[in-house]
Amino acid sequence: LVLEAMRHNARAAEFASQDLGTNRDFLLEALQFDEVIFDKVAPDLLADRDFILAAALRSGQVLSRASEQLQADTEVVLAAVAQNGSALEYAAEELRSDREFVLRAVQRCGSALRAASSGLATNRSFVLEAVQRNSQALLYASEELKSDRLFVLEAVRRNGFALQHVAQQHGADLDIVLAAVMSNGHALQHAVSELRADREVVLAAVRTNGDAMADASERLKAERGFVLAAVRLNGEALAHVPSRSKGDREVVLAAVTRNGDALRHAKPELRADREIVLAAIKQSKNALGHAALDLRS
């Protein structure tokens, strides 16, 4: 009955009987509705490793109620952090100061960085390694570090997608954006519009990820010469060019010569072009599946 009530109003847990505080199955199921149910948990369960581990897999905040011994248990803490990065603040100090452990926690959830010991959270080399493992960590770096241009430049070199977390401050910086897209083409989406119209930046992004072409300016995508240069670097860029380019024989041939599977983005009449299909097949055995039916038979 209490579970049914919680389905309609999670705060119904406040009125649950204390007797339910020893019912493991009830408590674990109730956690999906409201963490306040842990106010009812019997003291001996808070020191029960199997129970706390199962609970942490549902809600990281349960670590705040766990026994000190379990707050120093690496498996329990990592399970909690995977659910909620801020749960690391309830871990034993020895874990929050352990470089390798905190890196493992950050890899699971970038927000864990904000709960690391002050000695780690302000350590440039540590934060850079954290960002390398999880781009989200840059969001939780100190404002001092995020304002440091050289630090940010190195951070995006290690993990280009970290640009999204400093885009407001550095999204117009050519060197930072170029370093980011050379690491991860998808970072282009976080650059200012002027740089998404910059030929050098966009081609660098496309080289690492063809789908980055989707974030290029419409002006660039309308330039035939630019489109040709892009698909020569990465055939998958063909997916994000104007329709007329998908029907341009020279453009499509250049794309499939680089990436055979790009054939699927070409207009039907070019998927029936024998020379283009043969060029695609040389690059990918799967390309035949994208050719016109009469060529497949």
Side-chain angles (χ1 to χ4, degrees):
L1 182 60
V2 176
L3 286 174
E4 185 60 31
M6 290 181 69
R7 286 190 179 94
H8 296 285
N9 184 347
R11 306 309 294 182
E14 297 175 9
F15 306 104
S17 166
Q18 286 294 148
D19 294 340
L20 290 173
T22 59
N23 187 320
R24 294 168 181 250
D25 293 338
F26 165 78
L27 292 167
L28 291 175
E29 189 170 351
L31 261 179
Q32 67 182 303
F33 302 116
D34 198 330
E35 293 159 357
V36 75
I37 196 63
F38 247 62
D39 291 339
K40 309 288 184 180
V41 177
D44 59 325
L45 282 183
L46 296 177
D48 185 309
R49 187 179 189 278
D50 291 340
F51 173 73
I52 292 296
L53 182 57
L57 290 169
R58 292 166 170 77
S59 171
Q61 289 300 309
V62 304
L63 189 63
S64 66
R65 310 293 183 86
S67 68
E68 289 186 7
Q69 181 180 2
L70 293 179
Q71 288 176 339
D73 185 305
T74 58
E75 184 180 3
V76 171
V77 174
L78 285 175
V81 168
Q83 285 298 314
N84 187 332
S86 63
L88 185 63
E89 69 180 283
Y90 304 115
E93 179 62 25
E94 63 196 71
L95 291 183
R96 294 173 54 235
S97 302
D98 184 312
R99 183 185 183 98
E100 289 307 314
F101 178 79
V102 176
L103 285 173
R104 289 171 65 192
V106 168
Q107 190 164 351
R108 295 194 177 199
C109 185
S111 63
L113 181 64
R114 63 185 173 190
S117 68
S118 58
L120 289 178
T122 57
N123 183 296
R124 294 171 68 92
S125 65
F126 172 78
V127 177
L128 284 173
E129 192 169 350
V131 171
Q132 186 170 341
R133 297 197 184 194
N134 188 332
S135 67
Q136 188 190 33
L138 189 56
L139 178 63
Y140 300 98
S142 70
E143 290 304 317
E144 181 181 359
L145 287 179
K146 287 189 287 188
S147 298
D148 185 323
R149 183 177 181 275
L150 293 180
F151 172 81
V152 172
L153 185 59
E154 180 58 29
V156 299
R157 279 176 179 155
R158 297 190 182 202
N159 190 331
F161 215 52
L163 180 64
Q164 65 182 304
H165 303 300
V166 289
Q168 188 170 356
Q169 296 162 280
H170 302 287
D173 186 308
L174 175 60
D175 292 335
I176 287 177
V177 171
L178 193 55
V181 301
M182 289 174 70
S183 170
N184 185 325
H186 282 303
L188 182 63
Q189 64 190 283
H190 303 295
V192 296
S193 58
E194 290 81 3
L195 293 183
R196 286 187 278 113
D198 184 288
R199 184 183 181 93
E200 179 188 10
V201 171
V202 177
L203 288 179
V206 168
R207 185 189 296 273
T208 59
N209 193 309
D211 288 334
M213 190 70 165
D215 299 304
S217 71
E218 294 304 314
R219 178 181 64 77
L220 276 183
K221 288 189 283 189
E223 293 180 15
R224 184 176 183 275
F226 173 78
V227 170
L228 195 53
V231 298
R232 282 173 175 161
L233 288 173
N234 193 322
E236 279 301 309
L238 187 66
H240 306 288
V241 301
S243 177
R244 67 175 178 276
S245 293
K246 294 179 180 181
D248 184 315
R249 192 175 188 281
E250 185 180 3
V251 169
V252 172
L253 184 58
V256 301
T257 298
R258 186 70 179 180
N259 185 325
D261 290 326
L263 181 63
R264 68 186 186 277
H265 306 303
K267 283 193 171 181
E269 59 268 26
L270 294 183
R271 285 188 273 118
D273 184 303
R274 188 177 186 85
E275 181 185 358
I276 288 176
V277 172
L278 285 175
I281 292 172
K282 287 181 180 178
Q283 290 298 315
S284 171
K285 63 182 179 181
N286 298 320
L288 184 60
H290 306 302
L293 185 60
D294 61 331
L295 288 183
R296 284 186 275 160
S297 56

